[in-house]
Amino acid sequence: MAKLGKRTRAAREAVAGKENLSVEEAVKLVKANATAKFDETIEIAMNLGVDTRHADQMVRGVVGLPNGTGKDMRVAVFARGAKADEAKEAGADIVGAEDLMESIQAGNIDFDRCIATPDMMPIVGRLGKILGPRNLMPNPKVGTVTMDVKAAVEAAKGGEVQFKAEKGGVVHAGVGKASFDEAKLAENVRAFISAVAKAKPSGAKGTYMKKIALSSTMGPGVTVDVAEAASE
């Protein structure tokens, strides 16, 4: 078994035996143990009681974190003409049509969010096998297929987070940076949990939220009291 470094050992000892904490307690503990030499992302993982093989149990949505993510989001937009100009003015990093499709097919996926106007979907549809597995496929349900590209680009740049249940019913996302103060991180965490709660699908049976955990990029995870976290 590999020998643990001092930092890793100290972090594990700090969280040992501490479970089912309040959001604020969990944030404080995770933040205190985010001691890497870079600004670690604070991540949330939620284990939901859903079977994503069934369409009526899929969990998907979007939430605007009140204090942003701390991440510089790169946004690509499929649009033509005036809408392309609108996207550029709103701050989109990449804007195009067939040229953007060809660039993506060539393996250039240098963006974190993909937005498209409805008329572009026949082109974007050809990229399903590339963008789909990366959760980058534009979708009207989360506001990334829209004629209001300005609002969509600004939302993506301003701290909007998309979420989608993966195999096993797990939803995860970054909800801020370790450099954020505790109150802002806690507010972001609660906003994310609330959004996932509201996205409960009609086919969900039994316990919906089974487990919630917080961690930093390089730090150990701690569990959050589900009842307390979902009480607001």
Side-chain angles (χ1 to χ4, degrees):
M1 184 175 177
K3 186 177 180 180
L4 297 177
K6 286 184 179 179
R7 190 188 71 81
T8 302
R9 188 167 61 249
R12 289 191 178 183
E13 289 174 354
V15 303
K18 297 177 181 178
E19 300 177 345
N20 297 323
L21 307 177
S22 69
V23 169
E24 287 71 21
E25 290 171 335
V27 163
K28 183 176 182 178
L29 191 56
V30 169
K31 181 177 163 65
N33 284 284
T35 56
K37 293 181 180 180
F38 62 94
D39 194 5
E40 297 181 55
T41 297
I42 303 303
E43 301 171 353
I44 186 169
M46 302 177 66
N47 187 0
L48 306 178
V50 296
D51 185 346
T52 55
R53 293 175 297 178
H54 302 288
D56 66 347
Q57 293 189 48
M58 174 52 69
V59 177
R60 184 169 193 165
V62 62
V63 56
L65 298 181
N67 301 297
T69 64
K71 179 179 179 180
D72 183 17
M73 292 286 288
R74 287 185 57 81
V75 179
V77 178
F78 279 91
R80 285 195 178 100
K83 288 298 174 182
D85 294 337
E86 183 181 319
K88 292 174 184 176
E89 290 172 3
D93 300 279
I94 308 167
V95 181
E98 286 85 358
D99 56 333
L100 178 53
M101 176 191 72
E102 292 169 1
S103 178
I104 293 172
Q105 289 175 329
N108 300 313
I109 310 174
D110 189 22
F111 52 86
D112 309 295
R113 181 72 54 85
C114 188
I115 296 164
T117 54
D119 59 300
M120 290 285 101
M121 288 312 291
I123 293 174
V124 180
R126 303 179 204 175
L127 301 169
K129 291 183 179 180
I130 300 173
L131 299 179
R134 294 173 171 80
N135 200 26
L136 290 171
M137 192 69 179
N139 189 311
K141 292 182 179 180
V142 293
T144 48
V145 176
T146 176
M147 287 301 288
D148 193 353
V149 293
K150 180 177 185 293
V153 171
E154 290 177 345
K157 291 281 189 179
E160 186 179 77
V161 173
Q162 294 181 4
F163 58 86
K164 180 181 179 181
E166 300 177 350
K167 186 177 180 181
V170 175
V171 170
H172 63 85
V175 289
K177 294 289 186 177
S179 58
F180 285 20
D181 67 42
E182 292 175 16
K184 288 184 177 180
L185 282 172
E187 190 177 10
N188 278 0
V189 169
R190 289 190 180 278
F192 186 87
I193 293 171
S194 177
V196 173
K198 291 175 182 176
K200 181 179 179 179
S202 60
K205 301 174 182 177
T207 302
Y208 177 50
M209 291 189 186
K210 291 186 172 183
K211 183 177 180 181
I212 302 173
L214 290 182
S215 64
S216 63
T217 305
M218 302 294 288
V222 296
T223 55
V224 175
D225 185 307
V226 175
E228 188 276 338
S231 62
E232 295 185 6

